[in-house]
Structures are given as C-alpha cells and as structure tokens.
Amino acid sequence: NAGVTQTPKFRVLKTGQSMTLLCAQDMNHEYMYWYRQDPGMGLRLIHYSVGEGTTAKGEVPDGYNVSRLKKQNFLLGLESAAPSQTSVYFCASSYNDRGDVLTFGAGSRLTVL
Amino acid sequence: AQSVTQPDIHITVSEGASLELRCNYSYGATPYLFWYVQSPGQGLQLLLKYFSGDTLVQGIKGFEAEFKRSQSSFNLRKPSVHWSDAAEYFCAVGATGAAGNKLTFGGGTRVLVKP
C-alpha cells in the first residue's frame, strides 16, 4: 500500500549513542516533515524539506540533523542521544504546502536511558 | 507566532451522546485550520480542514467543525459518538504562504467512550 513507512518502530538507546530514523514515501511527494510527539504538547516540528536536497529547521531542531538525498527518503539523525529526546517521532509527507494532505507514518518510539 | 490551545486534556463521553472538542488559536492573518485524529499506535489522520468560505465544515466519520473568527475558535463536534471514536484529537493551525506550511498543533484531547 502507498504511504509513509518509518523504521525502526521502536528503539532503546543509551545516552550519547547515535542513531538514524528512516522515513520512506512512495507517493512522489515534494514535502517531508519530522515531528516529535510528547504528552500534552501535541506534535512539534523538528525539521522539514521542501524537495530533494533541501532541509530546513522547524520549531525544535536542536540535537537533530536531517538529510534528503533522495526524494523518497528523509532521514532524521541523533548524533549524541539525550534522555530529553525520548519521544515518539512521526514522519509526514505532502504534495503541497497547505497542510491538508499530510500523510503520516505510524511513528517511531525512541527511549533514551 | 501562531499557537493552538486545546483546553480539555481528557473528555469522557457515553456512546450515543454528543461530543464537542474545543480549540482556540492565535494567528495574525487568516489561518488554515485542521482537525486530526490519532488512534492508539497509529499516525494522524485528517478529519477536516478550513481554508476559507463556509465557516461550518464537514469532515469524515460524521464530524464537523465551525470556524468563529470573533472567538478565534475552531471547535469540533459530533452529534452521536461511536465506540470507535475513542482516540486522541489534535487541532492544528497552518500559516498561509509559509514555506513548507509548518503546522502548529495543539496539545491534544483524549476522548474516552463509555458503553
């Protein structure tokens, strides 16, 4: 089925470790987003991309890096994980920038000990 | 900067009863407004949206929302709740013309449905 696929779905890290979350979409969407979801805070935008080879900072970018080397993939990296990065991460993609056709992945739950 | 407030963190409603979820936003211009639903362990799904025009918008699953500019509100309603409506609901505002249209989400309202 067409959609947004996130890997891994679950991960436990120790403080200081690094990891990469992969988001893949097969809908040929230009726009891709990484959000984090924390209780009572809704979703907050970490980074986004408006096309292949582009990235931009969102609301809470510190401690994260992203890359969009291929149009279908948007990678979120944590270079040195911290307990404050324990969260559920959602990737989303869209063919326009109006926000009405966002397709979300199922989420990746990350725990940093 | 835009912001969204959902005053109710949890709401419990009986099956068959009506439901109203509150959403207040802050934005200097005409906003794009959205309601999303998140079922347990799932991503978010768009319920409905408002861009312009008729202030009462209809969405999927029998939901509707009304945009009231004077109150900066975009409340979500459903006349008769089904057990499958138990989920978390998020209101969001988008900035018109902003590159990438960075949505700002509210903190969410978790809805529990009693039999």
Side-chain angles (χ1 to χ4, degrees):
Chain A
N1 291 336
V4 177
T5 303
Q6 293 181 229
T7 53
K9 288 185 171 33
F10 301 94
R11 184 74 186 270
V12 178
L13 289 178
K14 295 181 179 178
T15 297
Q17 287 185 318
S18 63
M19 75 158 296
T20 300
L21 296 176
L22 170 63
C23 176
Q25 53 96 1
D26 57 5
M27 298 169 285
N28 202 34
H29 286 172
E30 289 292 339
Y31 301 86
M32 297 188 74
Y33 308 82
W34 275 108
Y35 290 89
R36 61 176 289 173
Q37 183 181 27
D38 303 291
M41 303 187 73
L43 277 74
R44 292 179 292 167
L45 183 65
I46 304 171
H47 286 281
Y48 65 100
S49 169
V50 300
E52 180 179 320
T54 75
T55 63
K57 294 180 180 179
E59 183 183 354
V60 289
D62 294 342
Y64 304 95
N65 56 74
V66 288
S67 64
R68 183 101 182 266
L69 298 180
K70 294 182 178 180
K71 186 175 184 178
Q72 64 267 32
N73 295 336
F74 194 30
L75 278 64
L76 178 71
L78 286 72
E79 290 185 346
S80 180
S84 61
Q85 295 177 303
T86 294
S87 187
V88 180
Y89 292 85
F90 286 95
C91 178
S93 71
S94 174
Y95 65 79
N96 69 21
D97 63 351
R98 298 196 312 181
D100 61 329
V101 287
L102 282 175
T103 300
F104 281 85
S108 298
R109 182 175 293 276
L110 175 65
T111 301
V112 183
L113 302 176
Chain B
Q2 63 220 50
S3 66
V4 179
T5 302
Q6 294 180 244
D8 305 304
I9 297 175
H10 293 99
I11 286 182
T12 300
V13 61
S14 297
E15 192 168 13
S18 63
L19 174 67
E20 181 168 12
L21 304 182
R22 296 183 290 164
C23 172
N24 294 99
Y25 70 91
S26 173
Y27 184 61
T30 301
Y32 294 159
L33 293 163
F34 308 85
W35 275 100
Y36 283 86
V37 60
Q38 183 182 31
S39 298
Q42 302 296 314
L44 277 71
Q45 179 184 22
L46 180 68
L47 279 177
L48 47 78
K49 62 192 178 189
Y50 172 79
F51 286 166
S52 64
D54 193 346
T55 57
L56 183 64
V57 294
Q58 302 297 320
I60 62 171
K61 304 185 180 186
F63 285 92
E64 66 178 25
E66 186 171 12
F67 171 56
K68 293 186 177 180
R69 184 186 302 275
S70 61
Q71 298 178 19
S72 297
S73 69
F74 188 56
N75 294 350
L76 181 72
R77 298 192 292 258
K78 185 169 184 177
S80 179
V81 168
H82 187 263
W83 64 266
S84 60
D85 294 322
E88 190 157 19
Y89 294 79
F90 294 94
C91 182
V93 61
T96 55
N101 191 19
K102 301 175 288 292
L103 293 187
T104 299
F105 287 83
T109 299
R110 186 171 298 278
V111 173
L112 302 176
V113 180
K114 295 189 301 184

